[in-house]
Amino acid sequence: MSNLLQLCKRKTCVIVTLIVSIVSIIITLFWNYKLSQLINQVQFGISITSTQILVVFVLMIISTLSQGSFTYLSGYTSEYITHDLRMYLAHRLLKKSYYEVEQLSTGEQLSQLQNEVSEISSYLTGSLFMLINDGIRFIFTFIWLLTMNSKLTILANLPVIIILIYVIYTSKAIEGLSKQSQSKQQQMNGFADILLTLFPIIRIYEANELLQNRYNDKVEEWKRTTSREEMTRARLMSLSAVLSCIPLLLILLVGGTLVIRGEISIGLVYIFVNLSGNVSGVMMNMPGHIANLRRSIGNLERILYEEEGE
């Protein structure tokens, strides 16, 4: 992440995006609190004023607008960071001497542009800020729920610890398979570079069929690795989705028991149920997000520190 920020010349966009994310979750929490008060009033037979309904309605609209603003700003910022990365690569290439350019491998450069940069761009646009936003929502929501009712928060979210351990394990497994798939793809690009370089010789010695078979073997290896990666990702993340439902079931069980005993109100249970997705629900797709983050960081480090290894 620090490497990305070094490349990005528009840190203000990143800071504003994070601020909007924080403001969005604060508004969401406040809106849920106001709505829970209305539920409690209905439970105890207290009349609801039109002003209270208007306040909740306005907060709901503001919450929706803030979330939409975050989505727009995150996409805008991601595109700028990707642009800065591409400009960095172009600037680095232009600084090379003619001799250094002659020594470059076409396959490696093609791999960087088609694989590393493309994957980093896709992750930035589709996942990075969503992952950060999920982290912010998780922290703010969990702390706020602790202040509302620490007993229900702890009892209902104890399985989150187990889910976190599972997320870390599965993300490493997915990352390993992703790297294997990426390695096979780089081998394909390297083989294509060889075909381009040796094309005249291939024509002279009529080695087309032999090299075509070798290239097809590389493609089949990449297909098998990619298929294994996708199947493993689907299997592990499906179990993650199932595990993320356990805290919600505990909220209904423990919260319902406390309501029957008169220790908490229905409005408070509503808050926990409605916000459970911010605490445990974010774990549903977390293994894939973390694996993609690690893979993108690895791609970025290969790009940034390529010259040091030369």
Side-chain angles (χ1 to χ4, degrees), residues 147-207:
T147 61
M148 298 293 292
N149 191 292
S150 58
K151 179 180 179 181
L152 180 57
T153 302
I154 295 173
L155 290 176
N157 291 291
L158 277 176
V160 172
I161 300 175
I162 300 175
I163 298 173
L164 281 173
I165 296 173
Y166 177 79
V167 163
I168 295 172
Y169 164 75
T170 52
S171 63
K172 289 182 178 179
I174 295 173
E175 179 192 11
L177 290 173
S178 298
K179 287 182 177 179
Q180 291 181 24
S181 175
Q182 187 179 42
S183 175
K184 296 299 181 183
Q185 193 170 23
Q186 288 174 345
Q187 291 178 15
M188 286 171 53
N189 288 334
F191 198 83
D193 181 40
I194 294 175
L195 293 178
L196 291 173
T197 305
L198 301 179
F199 181 74
I201 300 176
I202 295 171
R203 293 286 295 175
I204 292 174
Y205 291 97
E206 298 182 351

Side-chain angles (χ1 to χ4, degrees), residues 55-303:
V55 169
V56 171
F57 181 72
V58 171
L59 286 173
M60 182 178 65
I61 294 176
I62 295 175
S63 176
T64 303
L65 291 175
S66 63
Q67 292 175 15
S69 299
F70 169 79
T71 302
Y72 172 79
L73 287 172
S74 63
Y76 182 83
T77 305
S78 298
E79 289 296 334
Y80 264 132
I81 296 177
T82 305
H83 171 76
D84 290 340
L85 177 60
R86 291 195 180 102
M87 289 300 101
Y88 169 82
L89 287 174
H91 181 67
R92 192 182 67 183
L93 186 62
L94 290 173
K95 287 196 305 182
K96 292 181 180 293
S97 64
Y98 177 78
Y99 174 77
E100 290 174 327
V101 172
E102 284 290 316
Q103 301 302 313
L104 291 177
S105 170
T106 306
E108 291 180 2
Q109 298 302 311
L110 186 64
S111 175
Q112 280 194 0
L113 293 174
Q114 290 187 340
N115 298 334
E116 281 90 340
V117 176
S118 178
E119 287 185 7
I120 293 172
S121 174
S122 298
Y123 183 76
L124 286 174
T125 306
S127 301
L128 178 61
F129 281 99
M130 293 301 174
L131 177 62
I132 296 174
N133 185 53
D134 284 345
I136 291 173
R137 298 176 77 83
F138 176 90
I139 294 171
F140 274 72
T141 303
F142 188 77
I143 294 175
W144 189 65
L145 291 178
L146 278 175
T147 61
M148 298 293 292
N149 191 292
S150 58
K151 179 180 179 181
L152 180 57
T153 302
I154 295 173
L155 290 176
N157 291 291
L158 277 176
V160 172
I161 300 175
I162 300 175
I163 298 173
L164 281 173
I165 296 173
Y166 177 79
V167 163
I168 295 172
Y169 164 75
T170 52
S171 63
K172 289 182 178 179
I174 295 173
E175 179 192 11
L177 290 173
S178 298
K179 287 182 177 179
Q180 291 181 24
S181 175
Q182 187 179 42
S183 175
K184 296 299 181 183
Q185 193 170 23
Q186 288 174 345
Q187 291 178 15
M188 286 171 53
N189 288 334
F191 198 83
D193 181 40
I194 294 175
L195 293 178
L196 291 173
T197 305
L198 301 179
F199 181 74
I201 300 176
I202 295 171
R203 293 286 295 175
I204 292 174
Y205 291 97
E206 298 182 351
N208 306 50
E209 185 175 352
L210 174 63
L211 293 177
Q212 179 67 43
N213 292 334
R214 290 285 305 275
Y215 183 74
N216 289 339
D217 291 339
K218 296 291 183 183
V219 173
E220 289 299 322
E221 290 179 7
W222 171 74
K223 285 182 179 180
R224 287 194 296 269
T225 305
T226 304
S227 176
R228 186 165 63 251
E229 175 198 351
E230 293 299 329
M231 291 178 64
T232 303
R233 181 189 293 264
R235 185 171 62 252
L236 295 178
M237 291 181 64
S238 296
L239 181 56
S240 175
V242 173
L243 291 175
S244 65
C245 296
I246 296 176
L248 177 59
L249 296 176
L250 287 176
I251 289 174
L252 295 174
L253 178 62
V254 177
T257 303
L258 294 177
V259 169
I260 294 172
R261 293 179 179 178
E263 297 183 25
I264 62 175
S265 64
I266 295 178
L268 184 60
V269 175
Y270 159 79
I271 290 178
F272 276 81
V273 171
N274 199 38
L275 296 177
S276 63
N278 290 354
V279 179
S280 59
V282 297
M283 304 295 174
M284 187 179 301
N285 299 316
M286 196 61 69
H289 286 323
I290 296 178
N292 290 335
L293 175 61
R294 289 173 175 166
R295 179 169 172 172
S296 296
I297 291 175
N299 289 334
L300 184 62
E301 288 177 348
R302 279 194 295 275
I303 293 172

